[in-house]
Amino acid sequence: MATIKDVAKEAGVSIATVSRVINNVGKVGEKTRSNVIAIMNKLGYTPDANARALKTQKSSTIGVVIPDISDPFFSSLANGVEEVASSKNMQMLLSTGKMSAESELKAINLLVEQRCDAIVLHSKFLSDDVLVSLSDKIPGLIFIDRFIDEVSDKCIWLDNFEGGKIAARHLLALEHKNVAFINSNYDIDDPKLRLGGFEEIVKSFDLSINSKLKVNNEPTLKGGELAAQELLAQAENFTSVFAYNDAMAIGAISVFEDNGYKVPNDISIIGFDDVLLSKYSRPKLTTLRYPIAEMANHAAQRAIDYSSNDVPLKSELKYIPSLVKRESTTRLIRG
């Protein structure tokens, strides 16, 4: 287990400098600060004093780390944790990971400093080794939307691979053989797993996705717009699209409609997540329901149990997305 001395040695600075970075006090150059934080991340170091405080000074707070508070998906996650906190007369503290390993570690340490006994963590950028080390130090740390075999009892996760398979089966059942895939450009597991499951089913029908019809962009409304523009620019035939999430799907629909294509008559499209907006898009979006609020409830309760040294009730930790049929997909109309 890494110590503050190990961090100081690796970073080539004094222990006092590392302490100032940890406590965010004193004058430390930005380059030095960034380097020390990077070394802490690399070594999986959590300040011992904070870890001891977490174990010895119980509080009535539960922490949650999400990447982005503006994203409806992550807002649902936070709300799910808050529901459990409120039912137990606990306060919820929210910290953001901002889509980087360095920021995720900062967010975790902030909650530890605030003596959160229980933490629900959405992490996509910290390594498995670092997260396992953190789990050893923070008994009430529960991972959501992440599976790590070494700490599988602390993981509440969604089977994204199966989600991709469900989406493919739906489109193929509607006789769509020329399928396109709009994916996230983030280098994380979820996009790879969703595409992997989708392609497995497509291949089982002796079909394949044209490589020109697999495009990546930011997993946002704007990213969906840009991805759809790229698909149309390829001048390749496709009748259906599987989008990484609902935001990308809705962004893509606006581009298809603006270019004279009717959804779903000309192009069927399916999203992923089932955020609130999907019910109000035009057409209403067919999607895969990601039960994130339910998962967050589960994760919060499990975090509280572990932080109190209680044995959590035995339960299924893996969730399977479910198909929500609405108006953006239909059977292929053959000319």
Side-chain angles (χ1 to χ4, degrees), residues 58 90 117-119 139-141 302-310:
K58 295 295 181 182
M90 300 176 71
D117 301 320
I119 298 174
L141 180 63
R302 204 166 183 84
I304 292 168
D305 288 343
Y306 270 107
S307 70
S308 303
N309 295 318
D310 293 333

Side-chain angles (χ1 to χ4, degrees), residues 161 164-166 168-170 172-173 177 179 195-209:
F161 193 83
K165 292 167 69 173
I166 293 169
R169 291 191 190 103
H170 176 64
L172 290 169
K177 296 182 179 181
V179 294
L195 175 59
F198 192 84
E199 288 193 309
E200 180 175 292
I201 295 301
V202 168
K203 289 177 181 177
S204 72
F205 280 74
D206 293 325
L207 300 171
S208 63
I209 304 177

